[in-house]
Amino acid sequence: MENQLLTDLAEDLPDGVRLQRAAQTIRNAFSCDAVGLLALDGGDTLRLVAAAGLAHEALGRRFLVAQHPRFATILSRRDPTWFDLDSVLPDPYDGLLDDRKGSPLPVHDCMGMTLYEEERPWGIMTLDALTTGAFDETARARLRRLGLILQAAVRLTGLERENRRLRQLGSSQHGIERIGEDTEILGHSEAIQSLLRELDLVADSDLPILLLGETGVGKELFARRLHRRSRRSQKPMIHVNCAALPESLAESELFGHVKGAFSGATSDRPGRFEAAQGGTLFLDEVGELPLGLQAKLLRALQNGEIQRLGTDDVIKTDVRIIAATNRDLKANTLAGNFRADLYHRLSVYPVPIPPLRERERDTLILAGHFLEFNRARLGLRGVRLSYGAERALLHYPWPGNVRELEHVISRAALKMLSRGASRDQVMTIGPELLDLDAPEVPAAEDHYEGLHRTQAGASRPSEASSEGEDLYDTEPFYGPGMQTAPDLASPSGTRQEAQAIRALRESVESCQRTAIQHALAATNYNWAQAARALQLDPSNLHKLAHRLGLKARRARA
């Protein structure tokens, strides 16, 4: 098993895929029910970076170490920690194991180990088995050996990140980011990962960037990431909400004023441009600026100079501009509501931010994050989503995006308490508490929801739920190669077993083929829309269709 783990960690794969494979290999080796790899953020919070056997929403969880004594105990020791079966310490995974979702864990075996990077705690590895006695002294010694291998992998990942960072920044060197830092933006979908890669490439330039997206997608978070990854990261980032600026005071807010400039100006006051000197000025909701102020902002951007209100003295400025809007500024320029020259000045590098409905299963990861926040805020033992609630979240179009999702989860947790739920029990939120006006899901789609799959995508058959089985997600969530089909030629199986497996495979493939064809027909052969309807990554849909012998067709005009 050590050799298999070394092979998984040595492959040239993205960090998340590499660690996910390691988690699944460890789970198989110990024949346990769940394995988690958690990175330490800021010294006081643990974040799941890979897991096998845990519900999908677990990846969005942040665990404050002070609130979880089992995690605190593991972090306090170098050697593996095994918890007595009669331990009274609450288990942070209550209700999160995939085959016991929403239910408290019974008496079970649990052990963990701290992982170190350069003699600093990087995080922990946890193992849970519902069968008591699974982790004996031999298992603990084995975990100690595997921990050393994982620590080497963590160090290798850190070095690879350092090399990528130095290649990207050239002569502009920053402190090296460790795994687990910069975690405000959650998500593993290709849409969000592709966006983050693009932002990291342009972050260290001084190009003005225009963030475009619907309300609630989190434009400020992306702006802050750009600033943190830039050469100006040691200087301030000043946030200006243009929609909240009163027109009578907007010029003073941006450029400052001198004493006596207007009634009530009793002293000199610098504006936001001066406050951001050497750093970043973030103009949020820039489409709301009045036309008169747009002309003055344009002059400041063109010349790199401003004048405080009430004086002719010129002040040189050195700021990087990041703007954001949920409006169609190009259309507004044609309508005469936004200056075309300012639009072109701000949109040197436009960056569209995908809405939540295009981010696949990120909805569940974000929901898990908000569930953990409300658990801590409300003093709950645990709060989880039912499978029905997960389906409702994934089929809802989210016009308010991530902000709406946060409000939905917070409201549902409060409703459960108001209806008499006990804070000492694991609360399971059902779809009726979400108040989502989502359209009814057609019966044909029920076969490919796949909402209960674990992050590893390789649940054992005995653990699979009959609810919402995913017939299309033939590749696991983190990437290919983590799950293999049965070997029909295996000498250990009988001819009857091989025939039964072959018949099952053909039946599944026929169902896959039919539903893909229906989805394509319903979307006028738009593969991206069909992928969203099938809850699949577009690239995985193309690969699956190719394997099933479905030829690609262009959308009809």
Side-chain angles (χ1 to χ4, degrees):
M1 193 272 289
E2 283 84 351
N3 291 336
Q4 180 59 51
L5 184 59
L6 285 169
T7 300
D8 291 340
L9 296 173
E11 289 193 55
D12 185 16
L13 296 168
D15 301 339
V17 178
R18 181 185 294 159
L19 294 176
Q20 182 61 38
R21 285 194 177 185
Q24 186 60 41
T25 298
I26 294 170
R27 182 192 182 199
N28 293 339
F30 283 88
S31 297
C32 59
D33 292 275
V35 171
L37 297 178
L38 299 98
L40 192 61
D41 288 345
D44 63 353
T45 304
L46 285 167
R47 174 178 62 94
L48 269 168
V49 295
L54 294 176
H56 192 82
E57 69 184 62
L59 279 176
R61 303 273 173 156
R62 299 292 184 272
F63 301 96
L64 281 173
V65 175
Q67 296 178 0
H68 296 282
R70 291 202 184 212
F71 287 159
T73 302
I74 295 172
L75 277 170
S76 68
R77 303 172 182 172
R78 274 191 172 269
D79 287 335
T81 299
W82 176 79
F83 294 94
D84 292 331
L85 298 181
D86 57 355
S87 173
V88 297
L89 299 179
D91 196 299
Y93 294 152
D94 265 350
L96 280 177
L97 260 68
D98 189 59
D99 62 336
R100 294 188 59 86
K101 184 168 165 51
S103 302
L105 293 177
V107 174
H108 68 291
D109 264 14
C110 175
M111 67 175 176
M113 179 179 176
T114 303
L115 303 175
Y116 287 84
E117 179 187 22
E118 303 294 346
E119 295 303 310
R120 296 180 301 175
W122 172 85
I124 64 174
M125 169 173 50
T126 63
L127 292 83
D128 289 86
L130 296 179
T131 303
T132 58
F135 301 142
D136 54 15
E137 284 293 342
T138 302
R140 293 169 220 170
R142 197 179 191 189
L143 180 62
R144 188 179 294 107
R145 294 195 303 271
L146 294 180
L148 295 176
I149 297 175
L150 276 176
Q151 286 179 171
V154 167
R155 185 173 183 274
L156 174 64
T157 300
L159 291 173
E160 290 174 346
R161 284 174 173 244
E162 178 178 353
N163 289 334
R164 287 197 299 267
R165 183 72 167 168
L166 291 177
R167 284 198 301 269
Q168 176 182 328
L169 299 181
S171 60
S172 175
Q173 297 187 14
H174 299 276
I176 303 306
E177 175 192 7
R178 298 173 63 223
I179 297 176
E181 296 178 357
D182 194 18
T183 58
E184 289 180 314
I185 300 173
L186 304 177
H188 296 289
S189 64
E190 178 56 31
I192 206 68
Q193 291 300 312
S194 175
L195 172 60
L196 295 181
R197 289 192 294 269
E198 180 181 10
L199 291 179
D200 289 348
L201 285 173
V202 302
D204 203 51
S205 72
D206 263 353
L207 293 176
I209 292 179
L210 179 62
L211 301 175
L212 304 166
E214 299 174 6
T215 181
V217 295
K219 293 183 283 293
E220 182 180 352
L221 293 181
F222 292 96
R224 292 193 180 281
R225 181 186 178 97
L226 283 166
H227 176 69
R228 282 196 303 269
R229 301 299 180 93
S230 76
R231 67 187 68 191
R232 297 175 179 266
S233 60
Q234 302 305 311
K235 296 293 184 178
M237 171 178 161
I238 303 300
H239 181 186
V240 180
N241 185 348
C242 299
L245 286 177
E247 188 167 356
S248 58
L249 298 177
E251 184 176 356
S252 173
E253 281 293 315
L254 285 177
F255 309 123
H257 63 256
V258 296
K259 181 178 179 180
F262 51 84
S263 177
T266 57
S267 62
D268 291 358
R269 182 179 181 275
R272 303 296 179 88
F273 267 88
E274 289 179 73
Q277 187 73 357
T280 301
L281 185 63
F282 176 45
L283 301 174
D284 198 6
E285 303 298 347
V286 70
E288 309 301 322
L289 282 176
L291 281 170
L293 190 60
Q294 290 178 28
K296 296 176 180 178
L297 175 61
L298 176 64
R299 286 197 298 272
L301 299 182
Q302 286 176 331
N303 303 326
E305 299 175 346
I306 62 168
Q307 291 177 299
R308 289 186 181 180
L309 195 63
T311 180
D312 292 332
D313 294 339
V314 173
I315 300 174
K316 287 286 187 180
T317 61
D318 174 26
V319 297
R320 196 259 187 93
I321 298 295
I322 300 176
T325 183
N326 59 9
R327 292 182 176 272
D328 184 348
L329 288 190
K330 184 177 290 187
N332 281 4
T333 61
L334 297 176
N337 298 322
F338 200 86
R339 292 182 63 101
D341 43 8
L342 179 59
Y343 166 71
H344 292 300
R345 177 68 63 172
L346 293 173
S347 62
V348 174
Y349 199 99
V351 177
I353 298 175
L356 183 56
R357 60 183 172 275
E358 295 180 4
R359 291 176 55 179
E360 303 158 0
R361 293 190 176 107
D362 284 356
T363 303
L364 297 184
I365 295 177
L366 289 161
H369 173 72
F370 297 134
L371 285 168
E372 181 62 23
F373 173 78
N374 281 279
R375 184 206 63 78
R377 180 173 64 94
L378 299 174
L380 308 175
R381 175 179 175 181
V383 56
R384 313 292 181 241
L385 295 171
S386 71
Y387 290 125
E390 288 185 345
R391 282 197 300 274
L393 293 181
L394 286 178
H395 285 102
Y396 185 64
W398 298 110
N401 291 288
V402 180
R403 185 183 299 126
E404 183 183 7
L405 174 62
E406 178 182 8
H407 295 164
V408 165
I409 296 298
S410 299
R411 184 172 61 244
L414 286 171
K415 279 186 176 182
M416 285 210 72
L417 283 178
S418 69
R419 296 182 182 185
S422 172
R423 297 177 190 267
D424 297 328
Q425 301 297 319
V426 176
M427 294 165 39
T428 301
I429 295 175
E432 71 282 355
L433 292 173
L434 300 176
D435 290 337
L436 298 178
D437 298 325
E440 184 175 349
V441 182
E445 294 185 10
D446 287 344
H447 298 291
Y448 49 73
E449 287 164 357
L451 306 177
H452 69 283
R453 292 177 61 86
T454 64
Q455 295 89 327
S459 295
R460 291 170 290 190
S462 62
E463 296 175 350
S465 166
S466 62
E467 183 176 2
E469 182 68 50
D470 189 349
L471 300 182
Y472 297 93
D473 200 356
T474 57
E475 295 292 345
F477 180 73
Y478 275 96
M482 291 156 58
Q483 180 178 346
T484 57
D487 183 4
L488 301 182
S490 172
S492 61
T494 65
R495 177 174 299 178
Q496 291 82 1
E497 290 172 338
Q499 290 174 343
I501 292 174
R502 185 178 294 108
L504 176 62
R505 177 185 292 172
E506 290 172 354
S507 176
V508 169
E509 289 181 349
S510 175
C511 180
Q512 291 173 330
R513 193 177 292 108
T514 299
I516 291 175
Q517 290 171 334
H518 286 170
L520 288 170
T523 58
N524 192 26
Y525 288 86
N526 185 311
W527 285 80
Q529 291 182 14
R532 284 197 293 271
L534 294 168
Q535 300 292 334
L536 282 178
D537 181 270
S539 61
N540 285 346
L541 175 59
H542 279 284
K543 284 187 276 188
L544 179 59
H546 178 75
R547 185 173 66 79
L548 296 173
L550 298 175
K551 295 182 179 180
R553 293 177 57 180
R554 293 186 179 274
R556 302 187 184 111

